[in-house]
Amino acid sequence: MKLYQKEIQLLAKPRGFHIITEDILKALPEIEEIRLGQLQVFIKHTSASLTINENADPTVRQDFESHFNFMVPENQSYYKHTYEGSDDMPAHIKAAVLGPSVQIPISNGKLNLGIWQGIYLCEHRNSASGRHLVLTAFGQ
């Protein structure tokens, strides 16, 4: 059994949905040593999230941002947690909906994603610093 874990910090990204698959592969080349296993990617923040979705057409990411902003609008009178700005509580809600982690099978040293799938950093804040991820790969 092989087990690798690494914590990385992504460069700060603007609000929106960003494909980070290549960032993860560059940070954890040990994935190539695993014939059969799993990769877990966990984000250590409560106002950003992770998901897997379309990796080819950038309009999908734009539509995600537009739809989430419609579903979870800013400046609602019922928000109490507004200390860090109008995007603060909506960012927490969006992160709770999407979640803090994704898990991907590893097969023959490669992430076993579908041809049109990529790992997204979902940045829900207007101004965020680089996000911290914990990458854990394990298998045989």
Side-chain angles (χ1 to χ4, degrees):
M1 175 79 134
K2 296 177 182 185
L3 180 61
Y4 304 101
Q5 188 172 76
K6 193 175 287 183
E7 185 169 333
I8 65 170
Q9 182 175 1
L10 299 172
L11 295 175
K13 301 208 183 287
R15 182 168 163 169
F17 290 72
H18 308 277
I19 296 176
I20 58 168
T21 311
E22 289 304 316
D23 297 298
I24 291 166
L25 292 171
K26 285 180 192 170
L28 197 62
E30 295 87 350
I31 289 170
E32 295 176 2
E33 300 173 22
I34 298 173
R35 185 178 56 78
L36 178 66
Q38 293 282 314
L39 171 68
Q40 183 197 42
V41 184
F42 175 80
I43 191 165
K44 295 176 68 173
H45 301 274
T46 60
S47 58
S49 55
L50 300 170
T51 195
I52 295 172
N53 217 289
E54 167 80 47
N55 70 356
D57 185 349
T59 63
V60 171
R61 296 189 306 276
Q62 294 168 359
D63 289 346
F64 262 106
E65 178 66 14
S66 296
H67 189 74
F68 270 83
N69 291 336
F70 178 79
M71 281 183 10
V72 186
E74 294 182 15
N75 299 310
Q76 297 303 299
S77 61
Y78 51 85
Y79 292 154
K80 305 273 187 263
H81 180 79
T82 58
Y83 311 114
E84 295 178 28
S86 63
D87 66 336
D88 191 19
M89 192 60 219
H92 292 301
I93 294 169
K94 293 171 188 177
V97 169
L98 288 167
S101 66
V102 293
Q103 194 155 327
I104 303 109
I106 300 171
S107 301
N108 298 315
K110 297 185 185 310
L111 296 182
N112 198 344
L113 289 164
I115 192 166
W116 303 115
Q117 289 181 316
I119 303 167
Y120 287 14
L121 165 68
C122 312
E123 180 53 71
H124 306 303
R125 296 300 307 267
N126 292 326
S127 299
S129 59
R131 300 300 192 162
H132 291 86
L133 303 179
V134 178
L135 312 176
T136 306
F138 56 92
Q140 299 180 5

